[in-house]
Amino acid sequence: MASPSVATSSFSQVSAHSMGFCSTSSTSPFDGPVLVDKARFLQSPLRAGGPYLCSLPARTITTRSYYDSATVHQIEGYATEVLRDLHLQYQGIRLVGRHSKVAPEPERVTTVLIRMPNRPQLELWYRAAREINQLLLRHCHHGISVEIIETDLFNGNYCSPVESSHSIFPKWKNLAQEIVAHYSNNNDWIGLNCFRYGTNPRRSSNPVTVIIRVRKTCRNPFVTEARYIHDILAASGEAEVDVLFTKDATKSFVLNSTVPREATTGSVYPGVSIGVYKTGGYHPVHLGDLFNQRYEIVGKWSYGQFSTVWLAKDNRLQRDVTLKILKATASEKSKELSILTELSQLSISHPGKEHVLSLLDHFAHNGPNGSHLCLVFPSMLSDGEAMTARGKARDVTFVRTVSTQIILGLEFLHELNFIHSDLHPANILFNTNQIKLQNVLMPPEFSPVRWLPGIEVDSSALQYLMISQRPYGMLDDTNASCLMVKIGDFGGAFQSNDKNSLPMTPFGMRAPEMLNGRSLDSKIDIWALGCLIFQLATNEPLFPLMTFGCTNEECRANLSDLVTQATGNGYVGFAAHLRERLQSDFAGSTIPILCQ
């Protein structure tokens, strides 16, 4: 194994180009030993491989220009053989090119990329990487690295504010001043802040971390400094807080910040901008606010590119509802209200109607940032995104029951000549009569907004930020027969004869005709439906496409390559591809039938 100096210098191969780290948290993505052997193979808690690994975050690109499909299948088969011999479960194997987004290599690094369940097995992963590499060399496949990575780390890191109830919150200003004063030679430092930072989609479970951003060109590993800063924190009673030095270029590649990526002009303590709360943007909503003299805000549910979504109490009818509040600019252009109104008013008898989210009420709300369209829906307990976040395995019965309801709802829409165009897990909603939503909401976590000096305070922004109070996993143990499933979010829907509307389908679920400019019809929903059902069954996308940092052209090319690899050998080859990734109870004659 490597000496400590080698391990330190290789740390950028593990932790998003991070250089120094001091952890007391077992939930940190960077916790644990980092070892590199003489052959330059890495063994670390969440990632293993070699002989060359790109620094994270890394872009995944196609290799179709360099290898034909038969060679790709052969190389991926060797990796599968080793993993099976070692009894290692995996979630996906692909021959890809990898490029660091922080310090891109001169050429793409050809890599057998293996995504693993979130149950790290350090020694076995390391052994598998070595054996796969040796097997490739024996068969004359030179110049190919092996990367075994936990799925959560592959997907990226989540960064969110520290809740005001945490003990470090009132201390942070003085702690930050003490850290800066202690290190007068900090010319390489660009930023100092405190976040919850890690790979867990449930952000409140990620460790509190002091993050020091330094210049991209800096070569100091900062290991000693990280330990000293941790000593300062420990002396103030915050020994459980982690310390991370990271190059500045990684900042823009943090996934899913608490507010949308376009939020760049304002300032909030600690460390999240809120520039979307301006004229034409979101309406500032707080717990207890009353809308239309009727709907009282009870909890935060989620947000999207064009709206925020809240749990509210209908004080007139004494029931829970969901309140969707659109941005002011989105309210002016939205077709969603007209589509929902038409669907709600139809007297047609169709079993799929009850599997499409119905509109209960709508109104306009005037606020400091403009006029906002507000849509009221029945309250739903969960969605497909939350159902897949914890990685719980799903059996055939669950998938059959859920997909039947989705198909009925989609058939209802298509018979009325509507194309949904935005089918993905977050837009599939789940409910059951066995649980009351207000009883399971997570406690609110507030991050007060602090205005920058010289900026005039007004009512356009929030008094505090909140992360979602939606609990993950609350329907994990619910019998599938008790679930009511509905298709929601019609912001991207349009009629099939509307040639001016563009589909909003996420890249990884786009049908081939959407990639090559062919005319579109309701079949784009059917393709997305297949991708959706697979993701609900396996908790991972059918076509695992990395989009961060990629241009639209790169995304189209990469997706086209993935589809060709999976379907290039016809439905028999596609069935084999699915059989490798689905649980054993999906095997047998069912898969080939589905593939046809």
Side-chain angles (χ1 to χ4, degrees), residues 163-432:
E163 59 275 16
S164 58
S165 58
H166 193 280
S167 59
I168 199 173
F169 195 92
K171 306 175 187 176
W172 176 241
K173 183 176 181 180
N174 291 333
L175 281 171
Q177 291 175 348
E178 183 177 354
I179 291 169
V180 172
H182 188 79
Y183 291 99
S184 56
N185 187 18
N186 52 27
N187 295 330
D188 286 324
W189 294 23
I190 292 176
L192 170 67
N193 220 309
C194 187
F195 295 96
R196 283 198 179 273
Y197 185 70
T199 59
N200 195 326
R202 188 173 184 176
R203 298 166 191 178
S204 60
S205 298
N206 287 319
V208 176
T209 307
V210 171
I211 301 177
I212 301 97
R213 291 182 292 112
V214 301
R215 299 184 189 279
K216 182 177 178 180
T217 56
C218 185
R219 295 186 179 276
N220 182 355
F222 292 104
V223 175
T224 302
E225 288 86 344
R227 290 174 181 154
Y228 284 149
I229 292 174
H230 188 265
D231 289 343
I232 293 174
L233 295 169
S236 297
E238 300 297 336
E240 296 301 312
V241 174
D242 291 340
V243 179
L244 173 68
F245 279 82
T246 183
K247 289 190 177 180
D248 185 56
T250 63
K251 182 183 177 184
S252 61
F253 298 110
V254 170
L255 296 184
N256 300 327
S257 57
T258 302
V259 294
R261 200 180 322 136
E262 65 190 279
T264 56
T265 59
S267 179
V268 60
Y269 180 85
V272 179
S273 300
I274 55 168
V276 288
Y277 287 92
K278 58 185 179 183
T279 301
Y282 296 110
H283 177 69
V285 181
H286 303 92
L287 296 183
D289 285 355
L290 190 66
F291 286 82
N292 207 33
Q293 300 180 333
R294 176 175 178 178
Y295 302 106
E296 182 181 352
I297 299 298
V298 174
K300 183 170 184 178
W301 196 243
S302 64
Y303 71 86
Q305 185 177 356
F306 303 108
S307 63
T308 57
V309 182
W310 303 82
L311 175 67
K313 181 179 180 181
D314 181 350
N315 288 327
R316 182 180 301 173
L317 298 180
Q318 297 300 308
R319 61 181 179 180
D320 291 336
V321 296
T322 298
L323 181 61
K324 179 177 179 178
I325 305 174
L326 276 68
K327 292 167 66 173
T329 51
S331 299
E332 299 168 0
K333 306 172 185 177
S334 176
K335 300 178 182 177
E336 187 171 12
L337 176 58
S338 61
I339 291 174
L340 287 167
T341 301
E342 183 173 348
L343 291 174
S344 298
Q345 292 176 348
L346 287 172
S347 58
I348 183 173
S349 177
H350 189 289
K353 186 174 182 179
E354 66 177 5
H355 299 294
V356 171
L357 193 64
S358 58
L359 181 69
L360 300 178
D361 192 11
H362 67 89
F363 55 91
H365 180 84
N366 294 320
N369 297 325
S371 179
H372 303 265
L373 175 61
C374 300
L375 306 173
V376 183
F377 302 102
S379 62
M380 302 293 286
L381 282 167
S382 190
D383 60 44
E385 184 177 64
M387 296 282 277
T388 59
R390 289 165 61 92
K392 179 181 173 62
R394 303 294 182 182
D395 58 23
V396 171
T397 302
F398 172 88
V399 176
R400 182 185 294 117
T401 301
V402 170
S403 59
T404 297
Q405 298 184 59
I406 299 172
I407 291 169
L408 284 171
L410 195 59
E411 182 186 53
F412 170 67
L413 294 175
H414 287 178
E415 286 194 7
L416 297 173
N417 295 318
F418 284 109
I419 299 174
H420 187 278
S421 98
D422 197 20
L423 283 179
H424 60 85
N427 288 340
I428 303 302
L429 309 176
F430 292 79
N431 210 356
T432 176

Side-chain angles (χ1 to χ4, degrees), residues 12 19 25 86 88 104 107 204 269 297 407 427 460 487 505:
S12 63
M19 296 157 294
S25 170
L86 294 175
L88 279 171
E107 296 181 359
S204 60
Y269 180 85
I297 299 298
I407 291 169
N427 288 340
S460 64
I487 299 173
T505 315

Side-chain angles (χ1 to χ4, degrees), residues 6-281:
V6 176
T8 298
S9 65
S10 68
F11 200 86
S12 63
Q13 296 184 327
V14 187
S15 58
H17 236 68
S18 304
M19 296 157 294
F21 189 67
C22 187
S23 174
T24 56
S25 170
S26 60
T27 61
S28 168
F30 313 130
D31 181 49
V34 178
L35 303 171
V36 181
D37 66 16
K38 293 180 180 179
R40 295 181 298 172
F41 274 78
L42 171 76
Q43 177 181 317
S44 69
L46 305 182
R47 196 179 188 214
Y52 185 90
L53 294 182
C54 291
S55 301
L56 299 180
R59 179 180 289 114
T60 303
I61 57 180
T62 179
T63 57
R64 61 180 177 173
S65 302
Y66 302 90
Y67 297 93
D68 58 40
S69 58
T71 303
V72 170
H73 184 72
Q74 183 184 59
I75 292 171
E76 293 175 350
Y78 292 142
T80 302
E81 179 183 329
V82 171
L83 294 173
R84 285 178 174 171
D85 287 346
L86 294 175
H87 304 290
L88 279 171
Q89 293 184 335
Y90 60 92
Q91 294 185 332
I93 300 176
R94 291 175 56 208
L95 181 66
V96 298
R98 293 280 266 170
H99 249 173
S100 171
K101 295 179 180 179
V102 181
E105 295 76 10
E107 296 181 359
R108 56 107 180 95
V109 180
T110 304
T111 305
V112 177
L113 178 66
I114 305 168
R115 290 181 298 106
M116 304 297 279
N118 299 319
R119 297 185 299 274
Q121 296 173 271
L122 279 70
E123 294 183 1
L124 272 180
W125 288 13
Y126 166 76
R127 177 181 170 186
R130 290 300 308 266
E131 291 188 9
I132 292 169
N133 177 255
Q134 292 166 5
L135 187 58
L136 292 176
L137 292 176
R138 284 202 299 270
H139 290 275
C140 299
H141 293 297
H142 299 278
I144 299 176
S145 289
V146 180
E147 179 179 358
I148 300 178
I149 186 170
E150 185 192 68
T151 293
D152 277 353
L153 182 59
F154 175 78
N155 289 337
N157 292 312
Y158 295 84
C159 192
S160 58
V162 178
E163 59 275 16
S164 58
S165 58
H166 193 280
S167 59
I168 199 173
F169 195 92
K171 306 175 187 176
W172 176 241
K173 183 176 181 180
N174 291 333
L175 281 171
Q177 291 175 348
E178 183 177 354
I179 291 169
V180 172
H182 188 79
Y183 291 99
S184 56
N185 187 18
N186 52 27
N187 295 330
D188 286 324
W189 294 23
I190 292 176
L192 170 67
N193 220 309
C194 187
F195 295 96
R196 283 198 179 273
Y197 185 70
T199 59
N200 195 326
R202 188 173 184 176
R203 298 166 191 178
S204 60
S205 298
N206 287 319
V208 176
T209 307
V210 171
I211 301 177
I212 301 97
R213 291 182 292 112
V214 301
R215 299 184 189 279
K216 182 177 178 180
T217 56
C218 185
R219 295 186 179 276
N220 182 355
F222 292 104
V223 175
T224 302
E225 288 86 344
R227 290 174 181 154
Y228 284 149
I229 292 174
H230 188 265
D231 289 343
I232 293 174
L233 295 169
S236 297
E238 300 297 336
E240 296 301 312
V241 174
D242 291 340
V243 179
L244 173 68
F245 279 82
T246 183
K247 289 190 177 180
D248 185 56
T250 63
K251 182 183 177 184
S252 61
F253 298 110
V254 170
L255 296 184
N256 300 327
S257 57
T258 302
V259 294
R261 200 180 322 136
E262 65 190 279
T264 56
T265 59
S267 179
V268 60
Y269 180 85
V272 179
S273 300
I274 55 168
V276 288
Y277 287 92
K278 58 185 179 183
T279 301

